[in-house]
Amino acid sequence: MAGNAPQLLTDEQMRQFITQGYVILKTDFSDRFHKHLTKQLNEVYTNEGNPGNNLLPRIRELQKVFDHPVIDGALTSVLGPNYMMHSHRHGHYNAVNRPGGWHKDSYWGYKRMRNHHPWWAMIMYFPQDTPVELGPTGIFPGTQYYETRTFRQDEGKDEVLASGDAGTFALIHYDIWHRSTANLLGQHRYMLKFEFMRTSYPVQPTWDNHDDEWALPKNLNAPVARHDILWKETWNWLSGRVGSLSRTLPEDSGLVTELAAQLHDEFEPTALNAAYELACRGQLGVNALLSALQHEDVRVSRIAAYGLSIAGRDAIEGLTNSLESKRLETVTHAVFALGELGHLASEAVTRLGDLLGHPSEIVRREVVESLGMIGTPVNDVVSGLIRCLKDEDVQVRFMAGLALTHLGCAGAEAVPHLEEVLDDDNRYVRGHALEALRYIGTDEAKDVLIKILMNSRWCSTTTPSSTFYP
């Protein structure tokens, strides 16, 4: 196996990830390792069924995969060095001679507004040789930015298949459109899916970066549409330059009017490009986006929010005022955009905190995530997230744990409250509370963490056929 230092992605690989939403890579484990891993999977799936979230402790050798410098380096490049492995994971078994439908993964059955910036990523790992005939995962390049399916089912010529030798994996943007393909051989085919999250805003490039400025990848594959401003802004954001494109284009009133009309376009890529361009055209462009944020068509309002999320300080006052809207969609979209603006939106934290008593759980869900992303003033953010740990809505509770992972030791005040929710009925409330304790990392947090992990420790070799001996 390669050395222990993470093998970071290159500038060219990061350009591909930004534009196409995936990178295909391969580990260098031996064939013996993969054969043994696949044998264990066959035994577990045959005798016990799918282990679900217990996939990693049940197949302990899998941890070596995620410790591999190629995978660690790829995740570090996209999500930063403090990335988190989510407690949800799943082993997909496919022996079906028909393709699955195109889809985006949900958030374990829950809903949230999807990020264009790479806050989330997914590893799809193939432990066996996976030729095209065995049914690898199909990926549609560049579709991670689209809520709607903007391509036809018959556009297979543009589909990318994650096929290859054992040890191949696809690192994908969490929101890319993908599907299973037909297993024509009828043999065992496993795809082990693990989710990962960024826990902090980027402050500098975390890949093997040599070029400061954005450039298109050499072999650009954008079968649906190009998004030059969106791609450049994402590169800058990953480099630690939040709001870097605001006011970079002239305030042309005629062009702003034309772009504002394009926000209503039925073809989502056109509307997205208009939103991102308006965000670069000074206060006139921002005002057009703020007006669209109020639109009764939820699609138009959502598209406007993406533009406002990159508009920098010009958008803060208008977004904060939009929190008073009577339209639920306007409020949730405004909250989302403020969260994406990070520390630039710190002045809005008090108003966001007021929304934690909002009667709609949809609003409260968006607020809790944005508070963690903004992060300051710390005392206000932490007190708000502690309140969210006790919310009646389960999604608010588990998102509060995730939000606290962003704060590190600054979230220490939440430790006793996190300890309380370790008895919650929901697995993700408990799982995210454990992660929050780990990232807070104080002695008190570690003591709570060790106690609960010892009390709930899981024996990876105990099965229905082997309960205690040998």
Side-chain angles (χ1 to χ4, degrees), residues 244-256:
S244 62
L245 295 188
S246 63
R247 296 181 177 270
T248 54
L249 296 175
E251 292 186 279
D252 183 323
S253 59
L255 187 52
V256 164

Side-chain angles (χ1 to χ4, degrees), residues 184-462:
L184 304 179
L185 302 180
Q187 301 170 2
H188 296 297
R189 191 284 269 162
Y190 296 99
M191 183 274 282
L192 309 182
K193 182 187 76 175
F194 286 75
E195 300 172 3
F196 297 84
M197 289 182 57
R198 171 179 289 277
T199 61
S200 60
Y201 261 86
V203 295
Q204 62 185 14
T206 56
W207 64 95
D208 184 19
N209 176 238
H210 297 277
D211 298 331
D212 289 339
E213 297 304 316
W214 167 251
L216 292 174
K218 295 176 181 176
N219 298 308
L220 175 63
N221 180 18
V224 179
R226 283 182 54 153
H227 297 286
D228 292 281
I229 295 176
L230 188 162
W231 295 336
K232 180 177 180 179
E233 194 280 333
T234 302
W235 173 274
N236 288 356
W237 184 86
L238 284 164
S239 301
R241 295 175 291 201
V242 179
S244 62
L245 295 188
S246 63
R247 296 181 177 270
T248 54
L249 296 175
E251 292 186 279
D252 183 323
S253 59
L255 187 52
V256 164
T257 299
E258 180 181 330
L259 290 168
Q262 291 177 18
L263 296 175
H264 301 255
D265 199 289
E266 291 296 324
F267 187 54
E268 187 177 4
T270 298
L272 273 179
N273 280 340
Y276 273 82
E277 185 170 342
L278 284 168
C280 303
R281 292 194 175 275
Q283 199 63 56
L284 278 179
V286 170
N287 289 344
L289 289 169
L290 288 168
S291 178
L293 192 71
Q294 308 286 337
H295 200 278
E296 61 183 12
D297 185 334
V298 65
R299 182 183 60 86
V300 174
S301 178
R302 177 178 56 80
I303 293 289
Y306 284 120
L308 291 163
S309 73
I310 72 154
R313 297 188 185 278
D314 287 341
I316 303 298
E317 182 179 359
L319 285 169
T320 306
N321 291 337
S322 296
L323 300 179
E324 304 297 328
S325 174
K326 301 299 182 183
R327 288 188 58 79
L328 188 67
E329 295 84 3
T330 295
V331 176
T332 55
H333 294 156
V335 173
F336 168 84
L338 287 167
E340 282 286 357
L341 288 165
H343 68 275
L344 299 180
S346 59
E347 65 194 67
V349 163
T350 299
R351 299 280 288 277
L352 288 170
D354 292 340
L355 291 176
L356 292 178
H358 198 283
S360 169
E361 69 276 6
I362 297 172
V363 170
R364 301 198 305 275
R365 291 169 186 172
E366 204 67 61
V367 170
V368 66
E369 184 164 36
S370 289
L371 285 175
M373 294 165 75
I374 295 170
T376 58
V378 171
N379 290 340
D380 294 340
V381 170
V382 173
S383 63
L385 295 179
I386 288 173
R387 178 180 177 183
C388 294
L389 288 171
K390 303 168 184 176
D391 196 276
E392 63 183 17
D393 180 70
V394 65
Q395 186 171 348
V396 173
R397 297 200 303 277
F398 73 61
M399 291 178 76
L402 286 178
L404 282 164
T405 65
H406 298 182
L407 304 179
C409 62
E413 185 184 345
V415 169
H417 306 279
L418 289 164
E419 183 175 14
E420 288 179 19
V421 302
L422 292 174
D423 290 323
D424 196 281
D425 291 338
N426 183 273
R427 72 190 71 190
Y428 297 116
V429 175
R430 300 192 303 271
H432 298 163
L434 289 171
E435 289 290 358
L437 289 165
R438 181 166 73 95
Y439 278 89
I440 289 171
T442 61
D443 287 343
E444 182 186 7
K446 290 176 183 177
D447 287 343
V448 174
L449 193 59
I450 291 171
K451 178 182 177 182
I452 190 65
L453 290 176
M454 290 303 298
N455 288 343
S456 60
R457 62 191 181 277
W458 194 76
C459 178
S460 60
T461 55
T462 297

Side-chain angles (χ1 to χ4, degrees), residues 20 68 107 154 168 336 466:
Q20 299 174 47
H68 193 284
Y107 294 86
D154 61 355
T168 296
F336 168 84
S466 175

Side-chain angles (χ1 to χ4, degrees), residues 126-188:
F126 297 86
Q128 72 284 297
D129 290 343
T130 310
V132 171
E133 297 80 10
L134 194 60
T137 299
I139 301 165
F140 207 98
T143 55
Q144 67 272 23
Y145 303 116
Y146 308 145
E147 186 71 19
T148 56
R149 205 184 79 187
T150 56
F151 53 93
R152 299 189 310 273
Q153 185 77 23
D154 61 355
E155 290 179 315
K157 60 183 176 60
D158 295 310
E159 181 178 9
V160 172
L161 299 179
S163 62
D165 297 336
T168 296
F169 75 94
L171 171 63
I172 66 172
H173 189 294
Y174 188 85
D175 296 320
I176 202 164
W177 286 86
H178 61 281
R179 66 170 180 168
S180 61
T181 60
N183 184 343
L184 304 179
L185 302 180
Q187 301 170 2
H188 296 297

